[in-house]
């Protein structure tokens, strides 16, 4: 029994040190900056100095670059963390972009970042993160944009790195940055008929990142998912996503449980703000502590040191979690 006790203590210490090895923080991805007590508590517990806040998206609409969903701020949003402005840019913004438009876009994005910082008296550091799912067809213009933004802002420019951009690095190219953020989620489409968890499937992750250690940029941080959603399937087999649903949402007298994570709707009605009909099925996808731990153990073999940024800071996703 003593041997078993020592083994348990060793495994417990190993598990704890595994998590403590990686400082962690969150992405904040809501348009209105606002923190409730659960979110404040989760943020205060983090052992990293920064919080990654999405300031706005950029899209190309009718041939013009447009900021989309620009942040507003509630008085409840107070934190001692340094904020890192994060900007999502659609890949189509770089399709057929003119050379002279690239510095123009960089300047306008920098101007809007500075305006939001000033408007809301935000404490920021010297980094701007750009999130874009660039492709082989847009890489040259996107990479030039990153260079122009660095020149104009005089800040450190970092960018996200998706799984396919690691696996197909010879095709999609290497961004001109010193640090990247590896997005370890969205391993497949939730709108496909599949038994895999589309948020994070470990075998898919391992396949994409099999040669991660060969990636030329060595400063890699890791983004991991804590979000969840429901996939609704109608009578025709078409799918629809409802964000932020969890397995406990299936405990409804109007639902018939099919499995631990699936249910069938028994009568027409409004559920989760959506009109859903009798016979529709709901499948919940969420991420367990074990899934996260297994992903971290795999990544530890590929990356020497890294911080973790959990996506995303929301009471629905952080409550009850042991980070």
């Amino acid at each position: 029994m003593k041997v078993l006790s020592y083994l348990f203590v060793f495994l417990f210490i190993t598990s704890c040190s595994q998590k403590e090895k990686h400082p962690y923080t969150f992405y904040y991805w809501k348009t209105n900056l606002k923190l409730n007590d659960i979110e404040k508590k989760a943020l205060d517990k983090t052992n990293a100095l920064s919080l990654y806040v999405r300031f706005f998206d950029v899209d190309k609409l009718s041939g013009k670059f447009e900021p989309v969903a620009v942040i507003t701020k509630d008085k409840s949003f107070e934190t001692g963390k340094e904020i890192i402005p994060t900007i999502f840019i659609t890949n189509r913004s770089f399709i057929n972009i003119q050379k002279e438009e690239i510095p123009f876009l960089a300047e306008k994005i920098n101007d809007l970042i500075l305006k939001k910082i000033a408007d809301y008296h935000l404490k920021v550091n010297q980094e701007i993160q750009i999130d874009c799912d660039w492709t082989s067809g847009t890489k040259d213009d996107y990479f030039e944009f990153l260079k122009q933004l660095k020149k104009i802002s005089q800040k450190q420019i970092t960018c996200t790195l998706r799984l396919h951009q690691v696996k197909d690095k010879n095709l999609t190219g290497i961004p001109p940055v010193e640090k990247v953020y590896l997005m370890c989620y969205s391993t497949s489409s939730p709108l496909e008929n599949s038994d895999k968890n589309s948020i994070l499937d470990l075998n898919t992750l391992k396949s994409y990142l099999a040669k991660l250690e060969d990636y030329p940029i060595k400063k890699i941080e890791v983004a991991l998912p804590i979000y969840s959603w429901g996939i609704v399937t109608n009578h025709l087999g078409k799918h629809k996503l409802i964000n932020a649903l969890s397995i406990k949402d299936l405990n409804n007298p109007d639902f018939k449980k099919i499995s631990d994570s699936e249910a069938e709707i028994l009568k027409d009605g409004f559920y989760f703000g959506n009109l859903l009909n009798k016979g529709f099925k709901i499948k919940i996808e969420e991420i367990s502590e074990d899934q996260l731990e297994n992903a971290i153990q795999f990544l530890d073999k590929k990356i020497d040191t890294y911080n973790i940024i959990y996506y995303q800071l929301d009471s629905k996703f952080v409550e009850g979690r042991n980070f």
Side-chain angles (χ1 to χ4, degrees):
M1 285 297 291
K2 259 187 178 179
V3 174
L4 286 175
S5 298
Y6 288 139
L7 180 61
F8 175 78
V9 171
F10 173 76
L11 290 172
F12 178 76
I13 292 171
T14 304
S15 176
C16 289
S17 62
Q18 192 83 7
K19 289 193 172 186
E20 290 170 5
K21 182 179 172 183
H22 303 290
Y24 76 92
T25 185
F26 298 100
Y27 279 106
Y28 187 93
W29 217 259
K30 301 175 188 176
T31 301
N32 183 27
L33 305 186
K34 187 176 183 179
L35 292 173
N36 60 32
D37 290 341
I38 294 169
E39 292 157 355
K40 283 179 183 176
K41 188 176 179 181
L43 185 56
D44 288 343
K45 281 185 176 180
T46 62
N47 49 10
L49 301 175
S50 303
L51 173 67
Y52 294 78
V53 175
R54 185 205 67 91
F55 272 41
F56 51 89
D57 300 343
V58 175
D59 199 1
K60 201 169 190 178
L61 306 169
S62 302
K64 293 183 179 180
F65 301 111
E66 297 285 352
V68 180
V70 181
I71 54 167
T72 58
K73 181 177 173 290
D74 184 86
K75 61 182 179 181
S76 68
F77 189 86
E78 292 181 3
T79 177
K81 306 289 184 186
E82 287 187 331
I83 287 170
I84 297 177
T86 303
I87 314 300
F88 172 76
I89 308 178
T90 62
N91 183 53
R92 68 182 180 186
S93 296
F94 293 100
I95 295 174
N96 298 324
I97 191 172
Q98 301 301 306
K99 292 299 179 188
E100 63 273 13
E101 290 180 314
I102 296 175
F104 169 81
L105 178 61
E107 186 175 349
K108 292 303 177 185
I109 285 175
N110 187 59
D111 287 347
L112 188 51
I113 291 171
L114 292 175
K115 184 177 188 306
K116 293 294 112 181
I117 291 170
D119 286 350
Y120 301 134
H121 309 289
L122 299 174
K123 182 177 77 172
V124 298
N125 71 0
Q126 290 301 305
E127 180 181 349
I128 296 172
Q129 183 182 134
I130 301 298
D131 179 17
C132 178
D133 189 7
W134 84 86
T135 59
S136 58
T138 57
K139 65 179 180 181
D140 292 340
D141 292 322
Y142 174 59
F143 294 171
E144 178 60 26
F145 162 79
L146 294 174
K147 292 176 185 176
Q148 291 291 332
L149 184 59
K150 181 177 182 178
K151 180 180 175 183
I152 290 166
S153 68
Q154 294 296 296
K155 290 199 171 188
Q156 180 190 20
I157 304 301
T158 61
C159 72
T160 56
L161 181 67
R162 284 167 171 74
L163 300 178
H164 73 91
Q165 292 161 346
V166 176
K167 186 177 182 180
D168 302 326
K169 64 181 183 293
N170 293 333
L171 194 63
T172 56
I174 309 300
V177 296
E178 294 178 3
K179 180 166 68 173
V180 290
Y181 291 78
L182 181 61
M183 316 302 272
C184 293
Y185 47 85
S186 296
T187 49
S188 60
S189 170
L191 304 182
E192 296 174 355
N193 287 313
S194 174
D195 294 333
K196 294 179 181 178
N197 186 319
S198 66
I199 295 174
L200 175 58
D201 177 75
L202 191 62
N203 288 332
T204 305
L205 186 76
K206 287 179 176 180
S207 172
Y208 273 100
L209 302 181
K211 296 185 177 179
L212 176 60
E213 61 270 25
D214 297 336
Y215 198 76
I217 299 173
K218 297 306 177 186
K219 184 59 178 172
I220 299 175
E221 312 289 21
V222 171
L224 288 173
I226 54 172
Y227 64 93
S228 62
W229 53 34
I231 304 170
V232 179
T233 306
N234 69 10
H235 301 112
L236 300 175
K238 292 186 176 180
H239 306 297
K240 174 181 181 177
L241 274 184
I242 301 178
N243 283 315
L245 294 192
S246 63
I247 285 175
K248 64 186 178 183
D249 289 313
L250 297 183
N251 297 325
N252 187 313
D254 294 332
F255 295 172
K256 180 179 75 175
K257 280 282 197 78
I258 300 170
S259 69
D260 288 343
S261 59
E262 294 176 282
E264 182 178 333
I265 297 171
L266 297 176
K267 69 181 207 179
D268 297 352
F270 276 94
Y271 305 99
F272 322 116
N274 294 264
L275 177 60
L276 304 178
N277 298 122
K278 179 181 177 181
F280 282 21
K281 292 182 174 63
I282 303 177
K283 174 188 174 185
I284 302 298
E285 289 188 337
E286 54 186 17
I287 301 300
S288 68
E289 299 290 339
D290 284 347
Q291 284 172 290
L292 290 174
E293 191 62 38
N294 288 336
I296 290 168
Q297 287 177 9
F298 167 72
L299 290 163
D300 282 348
K301 297 171 185 175
K302 298 289 184 178
I303 312 172
D304 288 336
T305 59
Y306 59 92
N307 296 335
I308 294 173
I309 305 94
Y310 288 106
Y311 181 84
Q312 59 170 311
L313 181 57
D314 186 310
S315 56
K316 292 174 183 175
F317 305 139
V318 299
E319 189 172 20
R321 278 200 182 269
N322 178 25
F323 295 102

